[in-house]
Amino acid sequence: MDEEYDVIVLGTGLKECILSGLLSVDGLKVLHMDRNDYYGGESSSLNLTQLWKRFRGSDTPQENLGAIREYNVDMIPKFIMANGTLVQTLIHTDVTKYLNFKAVDGSFVYKKGKIYKVPATDVEALKSPLMGLFEKRRARKFFIYVQDYDEKDPKSHEGLDLSKVTAREIISKYGLEDDTIDFIGHALALHNDDGYLDQPAMDFVMRIKLYAESLARFQGGSPYIYPLYGLGELPQAFARLSAVYGGTYMLNKPECKVEFDSSGKAIGVTSAGETAKCKKVVCDPSYLSDKVKKVGKVNRAVCIMSHPIPDTNDAHSVQIILPQKQLGRKSDMYLFCCSYAHNVAPKGKYIAFVSAEAETDSPEEELKPGIELLGPIDEIFYHSYDTYVPTNKQEEDNCFISGTYDATTHFESTVSDVLEMYTKITGKTLDLSVDLSAASRSSPRPRSTASHSPSIHTERSSPRPSSYSSPPKTGRSTPRTAGYTPSPQTASHDSHSSENTSNDHGFFSRGRSSSSDDAYDFFRRRRRSSSDDEGMFSGFIDEIKDAIENYRTSKKDPVAAAAEVASTSGSIACVTQAKAFQDCLDENETDINKCQSLMDMWCKCKKSSKLTT
């Protein structure tokens, strides 16, 4: 150990392992140490015995929970944005060869005591009760603006400077309702509080574009993906990357005391009487507690269940966001669920997490609104941890300290912290410009192949057929070295080519490129097949009925009678008339009287259709 290194990294959390891998690839001599005897640190995945030992002392897990070693319970539960910076980092470093992923089944949002799916298809968007018919038209205009926005093209700005205009101002331009703003800001832009409304709108718009691009990336019901065997696989994968490029790993090293010279600069790390010299130290807050400050606290509940979360269409993996206004909180609450379909629990078992920034000293009471959505729970564990940010000046002490993981259920803030640290350590910006479209279309190939294009390999979250052969599972407590040879990829791979997938993804329709008029659209006109029409117009009829019923209540207009006649038949024989009526409403928005004749034609057609069936 008595050697000199360019960088010594303390702690094997995800942030530290990503940095260790990136720095090793850059040719730096890296020593990576951890006081624990396992990889992952606070971002590790625990089996049932480890979970019981951490939260219940020496208690023995109940036998009815299934095989102990089949559990991989994340301590920092998060999904991965399919088009986000972590995916770009995985592809850039080719760490994807060590991992398999599944597309997450759905993303949901909490509104007035119920949960609603964030639409992932055009039909779902039409039927979604999150917005009324006319509000959907206003939202569509907003989404088209977001879709078409290009920083380098002033014509797409519509006279708005997003570096100066606030998110509140740009939203008010489109006249969106408060509930819609809540939904867009928290379920799409993924802000954890309403502070974004008074900030420059650039970040808000870019977040929505990222959501749309991620939703279109894979064939899933959400913009997220998740690794098989849990998130503990991610630190180990980057650790392997570092080892391949010459990084040295030492686990179970006690104390790990950082040594400083007379000027206050870090010069090495001492453990068990041995000192390794270095030029820079990278670590998590626990290794240099005198150089960080507490900025908050996270409360979390870990729940083991024997069923999916109710009202999520029996999804095996979901995210549910509870916006702050819906709960009367200062920040959002998050639900995260994965299952045996992801190899994180025995067959039939689900792992759910409820997380929030702590606003009280009682996790049980504070997390109750989220826990009540879960249904019956087999076992529940509560834990809290403080969040820290560094206060030191890196240029003065050569210490680079990561921030604590937040309560959100995605990795964007985590990777942003990593990339910022990388720039401070190396003095250069990491180029993550990769062709994600090409990567997601690449077919998986055996890892014995000498050269290959890095890609993300995903499969659906539905249970595997009994004939499926899963990759061998390795022990989580055994360190993996540079000599570890990953098994060939065996996870199934969805076809991601545009020829084989629908162009519709909820409020955003996937186009061939982000500059296309049809890219990530919201109900924009397009050619529809007969099967499209059946789904879209059955949803559209329901929306029309609601809209006209509301109009009748306020205006006593006879159009409602026609709507009631139209509702008596589920047939789509009168699609042409229905579409003409829809187009009229699109043009006249709130003045239904101008569409009376078209409405009459539609109703007459449906009457005839009913009489002949």
Side-chain angles (χ1 to χ4, degrees), residues 100 441-447 455 457 489-493:
N100 286 309
R441 289 194 297 269
S442 298
S443 299
R445 63 188 71 186
R447 293 306 169 186
S455 60
H457 308 292
Q489 297 289 336
T490 55
S492 62
H493 184 64

Side-chain angles (χ1 to χ4, degrees), residues 259-267 396:
E259 304 289 350
F260 297 89
D261 64 13
S262 57
S263 64
K265 292 185 178 294
I267 57 172
E396 295 181 2

Side-chain angles (χ1 to χ4, degrees), residues 32 58 92 222 326 334 567 569:
H32 203 150
S58 59
H92 172 80
S222 78
Q326 300 295 326
Y334 301 91
S567 69
S569 172

Side-chain angles (χ1 to χ4, degrees), residues 18 20 56 66 102 117 182 210 224 261 350 365 386 430 461 465 475 477 496 553 573:
I18 293 176
S20 176
R56 300 279 174 84
K102 279 183 179 289
K117 189 175 188 302
D182 221 24
L210 172 61
Y224 307 107
D261 64 13
Y350 296 74
E365 286 298 317
D386 296 328
L430 184 65
S461 294
S477 60
H496 304 303
T553 301

Side-chain angles (χ1 to χ4, degrees), residues 39-319:
Y39 287 98
E42 290 303 312
S43 55
S44 60
S45 298
L46 306 181
N47 64 36
L48 202 57
T49 298
Q50 293 168 329
L51 192 68
W52 236 260
K53 184 178 180 180
R54 178 165 180 168
F55 295 110
R56 300 279 174 84
S58 59
D59 289 354
T60 303
Q62 298 179 12
E63 294 182 0
N64 64 341
L65 295 178
I68 289 173
R69 292 186 64 81
E70 289 189 21
Y71 281 92
N72 293 292
V73 182
D74 298 330
M75 291 295 95
I76 304 294
K78 292 178 182 289
F79 288 133
I80 301 171
M81 293 291 285
N83 212 54
T85 48
L86 181 53
V87 167
Q88 294 175 5
T89 305
L90 289 167
I91 295 175
H92 172 80
T93 57
D94 200 15
V95 168
T96 54
K97 65 187 176 185
Y98 302 124
L99 301 164
N100 286 309
F101 295 86
K102 279 183 179 289
V104 174
D105 289 337
S107 181
F108 293 76
V109 64
Y110 179 86
K111 177 183 176 183
K112 298 178 180 178
K114 297 181 180 180
I115 59 176
Y116 300 92
K117 189 175 188 302
V118 179
T121 69
D122 206 27
V123 174
E124 285 182 0
L126 280 165
K127 293 183 176 181
S128 174
L130 285 169
M131 291 182 278
L133 177 66
F134 300 126
E135 180 68 0
K136 285 177 181 177
R137 287 200 69 254
R138 289 187 287 270
R140 172 182 178 269
K141 295 176 182 178
F142 170 72
F143 286 128
I144 290 174
Y145 169 76
V146 171
Q147 162 218 311
D148 291 339
Y149 183 85
D150 182 350
E151 282 188 81
K152 299 179 181 179
D153 181 10
K155 293 181 180 179
S156 69
H157 299 179
E158 296 186 6
L160 299 174
D161 184 352
L162 298 192
S163 64
K164 298 179 181 179
V165 175
T166 66
R168 190 186 303 276
E169 290 172 329
I170 194 172
I171 288 172
S172 65
K173 175 184 176 181
Y174 293 92
L176 300 179
E177 299 172 354
D178 287 344
D179 284 345
T180 304
I181 297 172
D182 221 24
F183 159 66
I184 293 174
H186 296 266
L188 299 185
L190 301 176
H191 288 285
N192 66 343
D193 58 43
D194 285 340
Y196 75 93
L197 288 171
D198 297 312
Q199 299 297 321
M202 181 64 75
D203 180 57
F204 171 61
V205 169
M206 291 298 107
R207 282 170 174 252
I208 298 175
K209 288 177 76 71
L210 172 61
Y211 187 98
E213 292 161 359
S214 297
L215 186 63
R217 185 57 54 204
F218 297 111
Q219 288 183 350
S222 78
Y224 307 107
I225 58 176
Y226 182 78
L228 296 181
Y229 302 109
L231 294 173
E233 293 294 292
L234 291 175
Q236 295 187 69
F238 280 101
R240 274 173 264 170
L241 173 70
S242 177
V244 167
Y245 282 87
T248 302
Y249 276 78
M250 295 183 180
L251 300 183
N252 201 24
K253 300 296 292 184
E255 298 180 10
C256 293
K257 179 184 176 184
V258 180
E259 304 289 350
F260 297 89
D261 64 13
S262 57
S263 64
K265 292 185 178 294
I267 57 172
V269 175
T270 298
S271 176
E274 296 181 293
T275 300
K277 298 179 181 180
C278 67
K279 301 172 183 176
K280 296 176 182 178
V281 170
V282 175
C283 65
D284 68 47
S286 67
Y287 287 90
L288 287 173
S289 57
D290 59 332
K291 293 181 179 289
V292 297
K293 69 174 181 179
K294 179 181 175 181
V295 292
K297 187 176 183 179
V298 173
N299 286 333
R300 179 169 290 127
V302 182
C303 307
I304 300 176
M305 309 187 302
S306 300
H307 60 86
I309 296 177
D311 302 320
T312 60
N313 303 319
D314 294 331
H316 286 79
S317 54
V318 296
Q319 173 188 255

